[in-house]
Amino acid sequence: GAGVSQSPSNKVTEKGKDVELRCDPISGHTALYWYRQSLGQGLEFLIYFQGNSAPDKSGLPSDRFSAERTGGSVSTLTIQRTQQEDSAVYLCASSPGQVRRTGELFFGEGSRLTVL
Amino acid sequence: RKEVEQDPGPFNVPEGATVAFNCTYSNSASQSFFWYRQDCRKEPKLLMSVYSSGNEDGRFTAQLNRASQYISLLIRDSKLSDSATYLCVVNIQMTALIFGKGTTLSVSS
């Protein structure tokens, strides 16, 4: 389809393992965002990529979290040495430009991470 | 203090009721404001933008009060299909959208 695609849709891992989550944004969208949502909680901003600018990493909760965006398209969120509190749904979104005018982010269906 | 605060609810209302949600934001530099809707186990989707002059879309009216740093969403003639979580969202210049935790609405017949 033409929407934001995320993989895996579900990931169960053991505490201490590393995980990689992938996001394919909508073609042509210059902005890409990662959020996470824990059970019963709102969306927590993690990181934001806009074109070729340096990413806004201000939301990353610890240095175990990192993300990259290759070729201005696909993004990978990496969590090292996972902890149980990392369990959440990780949502990726994209937008065609700076979002402050339209406010419209196009979200993927999310990657549900469970750390045992 | 959270950047965006909402009453979590739940708001349980009968069909046809009018319901209002409120939201406050802490950063006076916030520039743009939105309401998103999130259905259970689904991704959030943009519902509408919020302007100081007010914004109406059918049964939905959104209002912004910059002086009070307060945003509202009014839903008239509630439908069963309006049952969802409503997320208040603000944007501060050159940053990503900041989401509130959401207010849950349940409309019953």
Side-chain angles (χ1 to χ4, degrees):
Chain A
V4 176
S5 177
Q6 291 188 245
S7 61
S9 54
N10 277 287
K11 175 71 176 179
V12 180
T13 191
E14 293 180 348
K15 178 181 173 181
K17 301 283 190 181
D18 296 352
V19 297
E20 284 190 351
L21 307 176
R22 176 189 167 102
C23 173
D24 273 289
I26 292 172
S27 178
H29 281 194
T30 59
L32 186 147
Y33 314 75
W34 284 99
Y35 290 85
R36 73 175 176 181
Q37 188 170 32
S38 303
L39 187 63
Q41 299 298 308
L43 274 73
E44 178 187 4
F45 165 67
L46 297 177
I47 188 168
Y48 162 44
F49 296 89
Q50 174 61 55
N52 295 321
S53 302
D56 177 357
K57 304 180 182 179
S58 60
L60 294 178
S62 77
D63 59 8
R64 296 187 296 104
F65 288 72
S66 63
E68 62 178 20
R69 188 178 185 193
T70 54
S73 182
V74 172
S75 177
T76 302
L77 177 69
T78 302
I79 309 172
Q80 296 178 308
R81 304 181 302 281
T82 52
Q83 304 295 312
Q84 288 183 330
E85 61 263 28
D86 300 335
S87 297
V89 176
Y90 288 80
L91 289 161
C92 177
S94 69
S95 67
Q98 290 190 7
V99 75
R100 66 175 183 270
R101 288 186 297 107
T102 68
E104 188 157 25
L105 297 184
F106 296 83
F107 281 89
E109 294 186 346
S111 292
R112 182 176 298 275
L113 174 66
T114 303
V115 182
L116 301 177
Chain B
R1 181 182 174 186
K2 296 289 186 184
E3 292 203 49
V4 181
E5 296 204 57
Q6 298 182 246
D7 180 344
F11 283 63
N12 299 304
V13 303
E15 276 186 292
T18 295
V19 61
F21 305 138
N22 303 320
C23 166
T24 57
Y25 60 95
S26 61
N27 193 325
S28 59
S30 299
Q31 293 191 322
S32 44
F33 310 87
F34 311 94
W35 284 99
Y36 269 66
R37 170 188 170 133
Q38 185 173 25
D39 293 304
C40 188
R41 293 186 172 270
K42 296 287 189 180
E43 69 275 19
K45 293 185 179 178
L46 177 66
L47 178 65
M48 60 197 303
S49 301
V50 189
Y51 309 115
S52 297
S53 56
N55 186 17
E56 185 172 323
D57 183 4
R59 297 180 294 107
F60 296 80
T61 301
Q63 192 77 45
L64 165 67
N65 184 322
R66 285 189 182 270
S68 302
Q69 295 182 197
Y70 172 94
I71 302 162
S72 65
L73 177 68
L74 183 75
I75 305 176
R76 292 181 297 277
D77 188 23
S78 298
K79 311 292 185 190
L80 294 175
S81 57
D82 294 335
S83 297
T85 296
Y86 291 84
L87 304 168
C88 178
V89 185
V90 306
N91 175 247
I92 306 167
Q93 185 178 10
M94 306 302 288
T95 68
L97 297 184
I98 306 300
F99 287 74
K101 289 189 175 182
T103 299
T104 299
L105 172 65
S106 177
V107 182
S108 57
S109 57

